[in-house]
Amino acid sequence: EAQLVESGGGLVQAGGSLRLSCAASGFTFDDYVVGWFRQAPGKEREGVGCMRIRDGVTFYGSSVKGRFTISSDNAKNTVYLQMNSLKLEDTAVYFCAVSTRPLTDWGWAVQRNFYPWGQGTQVTVSS
């Protein structure tokens, strides 16, 4: 069974950094687009960024561009989300998910294209 498990969330002060991990089991990331999404309390889930694993092409949401970086370790079948210069508004549950759809700069965050999803990991940024 294909599964994704996120880890690395926690409590961090504003301006700090965290690295989230998304580990896959039951399949390998090689032919997928891996997306990171987040959902803040009372808000809809939104796209954070994604990476096409085979060539490393990435797209990021405007609110995180320049602060967040997605990377992959194919040997570990794990994708990472490095989050720097964290802000209060980055507080959310972060999810990873995979897609086999073609990656485009206008459609990378279409959530219905992604399955399966991980269970999420909580990131809380404090002042």
Side-chain angles (χ1 to χ4, degrees):
E1 180 184 0
Q3 286 188 327
L4 298 171
V5 177
E6 302 95 337
S7 61
L11 177 64
V12 62
Q13 285 192 323
S17 299
L18 275 178
R19 189 179 77 160
L20 306 184
S21 300
C22 173
S25 62
F27 71 103
T28 60
F29 280 133
D30 298 6
D31 297 322
Y32 288 88
V33 170
V34 179
W36 283 98
F37 299 82
R38 67 186 182 185
Q39 187 165 21
K43 295 187 176 181
E44 293 187 354
R45 190 164 57 189
E46 64 173 355
V48 173
C50 68
M51 171 183 275
R52 186 167 58 203
I53 300 303
R54 62 177 168 83
D55 59 9
V57 171
T58 54
F59 293 109
Y60 296 95
S62 57
S63 62
V64 306
K65 193 175 295 185
R67 299 188 297 123
F68 290 12
T69 303
I70 299 173
S71 62
S72 67
D73 185 333
N74 292 348
K76 295 183 178 180
N77 209 26
T78 299
V79 172
Y80 303 99
L81 178 67
Q82 177 67 44
M83 305 185 296
N84 299 328
S85 303
L86 283 162
K87 304 176 181 180
L88 296 179
E89 53 264 40
D90 294 319
T91 294
V93 178
Y94 284 72
F95 302 88
C96 64
V98 295
S99 173
T100 58
R101 298 292 294 271
L103 181 62
T104 63
D105 58 358
W106 50 266
W108 63 267
V110 176
Q111 298 181 35
R112 65 177 180 272
N113 292 338
F114 286 82
Y115 182 84
W117 291 72
Q119 82 290 347
T121 186
Q122 176 70 47
V123 172
T124 302
V125 183
S126 64
S127 59

